[in-house]
Amino acid sequence: MATKSQASIFMVFTATLLVAINGDPQVPCYFIFGDSLMDNGNNNHLHTNAKVNYEPYAQLLGFESFIQPFATARSDDIVKGVNYASGGAGIREESGQHLGERISFDNQIKNHRITILRLIFLVGRGSLVATKKYLHKCMYTVGMGNNDYINNYFAPEYYNTSSLYSPEEFALLLVEQYSQQLQALYAYGARKFGIFAAGYSGCTPGMMAIYGMNSCVDSVNSAIILFNTHLNTILNELNTKYPDAKFIYIDAPLQYPTDLNVTDKPCCEVESIDGKGNCSPDHIPCSNRQNYVFWDSFHPTERVSVIDGTQAYTTLSPLYASEAISSLVDNEEGHFSNA
Ligand SMILES: *[C@@H]1O[C@H](CO)[C@@H](O)[C@H](O)[C@H]1NC(C)=O
Ligand SMILES: *[C@@H]1O[C@H](CO)[C@@H](O)[C@H](O)[C@H]1NC(C)=O
């Protein structure tokens, strides 16, 4: 998605939940891949409109357990995990390019490889096999696909995918590429995966404005439903293909509290009615943000992010309910592929 940081809240919140319960983290390490819904600083030094770098969210970055962005993570940080997410990024390389620089999922995976090369000396005592054994215990979450729709398929003035592919063909193409990318992470040692469904961007104020509608854009949502359906299928296939790994599909909550009742407009004043949808700097946001689903034209408010994060945490419990996983991890040291 295009902008800013409700995103980081989502991530921060998830990360915080992971460590808050007993003092000890429930997983020793957590790697995060995604778009602006997860970016906590990787785009700050890139030339892009998709920034994740300004108030009012800085207060949330103070959480002790914050997983550091790849852009600035230091050695003692990366042992606990790294956040590679980048606002504007997609499964496809070109997605989001009209917004400016961003780190596509392929490049996020390349950055993970750089982390692994550093971890070999930090946790693996020089051994790649030992490093992978460490990575088997880490949690990986990936949230991709939003920009392949908002900032690709449904932005035909910049991208030709919608003239080349039907929604069904595009969904299949995306999910096939996504599957290869997830398998690349598996080859690097990842075993515990949480994969977020794409959001129903047809209901974002930004998309409704682009289509001149005051209700959800059904054509957009039905394309995304195709993607999520195929994603779910492919994750099941990966679970069968790799019995030593677990791929969990994370759906959005079915229902939000009834007082989250402003669903069709953003809480902040946005720069323009069209697809960009950033909050205008230095304007006072709505006073009753607790009633708003959207903060800007594309991103949810903190309240929604907290609800989504809580749901994700619950959905992912099989990844940190330890017995199941330690048995997974311990019996497959024989067949690593090369990193
Ligand atoms: C579609 O756009 C891509 C660049 O994004 C270009 O490489 C390709 O040739 C275009 N295809 C058609 C059929 O226009
Ligand atoms: C939303 O809910 C709040 C709190 O229950 C209420 O005060 C407000 O009038 C509602 N707004 C709308 C648009 O329904």
Side-chain angles (χ1 to χ4, degrees):
M1 294 200 183
T3 54
K4 283 184 281 306
S5 38
Q6 298 71 342
S8 25
I9 294 161
F10 190 165
M11 193 287 307
V12 171
F13 189 74
T14 309
T16 303
L17 274 173
L18 285 172
V19 301
I21 312 294
N22 310 329
D24 260 354
Q26 299 193 355
V27 289
C29 32
Y30 179 24
F31 295 100
I32 297 149
F33 300 79
D35 52 29
S36 60
L37 290 176
M38 308 287 167
D39 187 344
N40 66 342
N42 288 308
N43 277 18
N44 288 359
H45 303 295
L46 301 186
H47 293 288
T48 175
N49 287 326
K51 290 285 191 190
V52 191
N53 65 344
Y54 65 88
E55 304 289 6
Y57 292 109
Q59 54 183 349
L60 286 164
L61 305 182
F63 280 137
E64 234 167 49
S65 52
F66 197 70
I67 301 292
Q68 291 299 303
F70 178 78
T72 52
R74 295 159 308 147
S75 292
D76 45 342
D77 301 322
I78 70 173
V79 171
K80 295 214 158 71
V82 176
N83 183 337
Y84 304 95
S86 169
I91 294 166
R92 288 172 68 90
E93 191 62 31
E94 82 273 13
S95 296
Q97 74 187 0
H98 73 286
L99 298 169
E101 293 180 304
R102 71 263 163 246
I103 308 162
S104 66
F105 190 26
D106 278 340
N107 285 319
Q108 292 181 30
I109 294 169
K110 285 187 188 147
N111 286 341
H112 186 49
R113 185 171 184 276
I114 292 169
T115 298
I116 293 172
L117 295 176
R118 293 166 70 189
L119 286 175
I120 289 176
F121 298 97
L122 292 168
V123 302
R125 287 183 238 94
S127 153
L128 178 58
V129 168
T131 306
K132 285 187 170 184
K133 193 166 179 174
Y134 180 77
L135 294 175
H136 291 352
K137 297 184 219 144
C138 305
M139 169 121 105
Y140 287 67
T141 58
V142 187
M144 280 288 170
N146 299 306
N147 287 304
D148 298 289
Y149 284 96
I150 300 173
N151 291 306
N152 188 331
Y153 196 78
F154 289 109
E157 63 278 37
Y158 301 107
Y159 306 90
N160 58 19
T161 44
S162 61
S163 61
L164 297 174
Y165 310 108
S166 71
E168 170 70 9
E169 288 166 343
F170 189 63
L172 281 170
L173 198 67
L174 275 184
V175 162
E176 183 49 42
Q177 186 172 353
Y178 205 3
S179 169
Q180 296 303 322
Q181 290 160 329
L182 294 174
Q183 290 180 73
L185 288 177
Y186 175 92
Y188 285 148
R191 293 295 180 273
K192 303 172 168 196
F193 293 87
I195 314 295
F196 287 91
Y200 294 112
S201 11
C203 297
T204 58
M207 215 36 120
M208 293 193 290
I210 290 170
Y211 281 78
M213 308 211 6
N214 45 29
S215 58
C216 297
V217 185
D218 289 339
S219 57
V220 172
N221 284 349
S222 29
I224 289 165
I225 289 170
L226 290 172
F227 172 82
N228 284 339
T229 306
H230 290 304
L231 175 60
N232 204 349
T233 304
I234 227 148
L235 296 181
N236 287 332
E237 287 169 14
L238 291 176
N239 278 319
T240 307
K241 182 171 176 186
Y242 302 109
D244 61 346
K246 197 152 189 68
F247 296 82
I248 296 182
Y249 175 78
I250 308 167
D251 218 339
L254 281 176
Q255 221 170 357
Y256 290 103
T258 49
D259 64 328
L260 257 170
N261 53 10
V262 188
T263 58
D264 59 349
K265 45 181 182 290
C267 168
C268 76
E269 197 172 303
V270 296
E271 280 169 357
S272 66
I273 195 77
D274 69 11
K276 200 166 151 217
N278 294 7
C279 290
S280 305
D282 305 324
H283 282 76
I284 297 170
C286 66
S287 57
N288 56 333
R289 62 182 69 184
Q290 73 282 357
N291 298 127
Y292 278 70
V293 172
F294 289 97
W295 178 250
D296 63 14
S297 292
F298 290 100
H299 299 96
T301 51
E302 174 173 1
R303 188 168 175 213
V304 168
S305 300
V306 167
I307 295 170
D308 290 354
T310 308
Q311 153 123 347
Y313 176 73
T314 307
T315 307
L316 293 178
S317 64
L319 298 185
Y320 51 81
S322 49
E323 324 74 49
I325 282 296
S326 47
S327 67
L328 278 184
V329 165
D330 289 339
N331 68 27
E332 46 74 61
E333 293 313 310
H335 52 91
F336 296 110
S337 45
N338 298 327

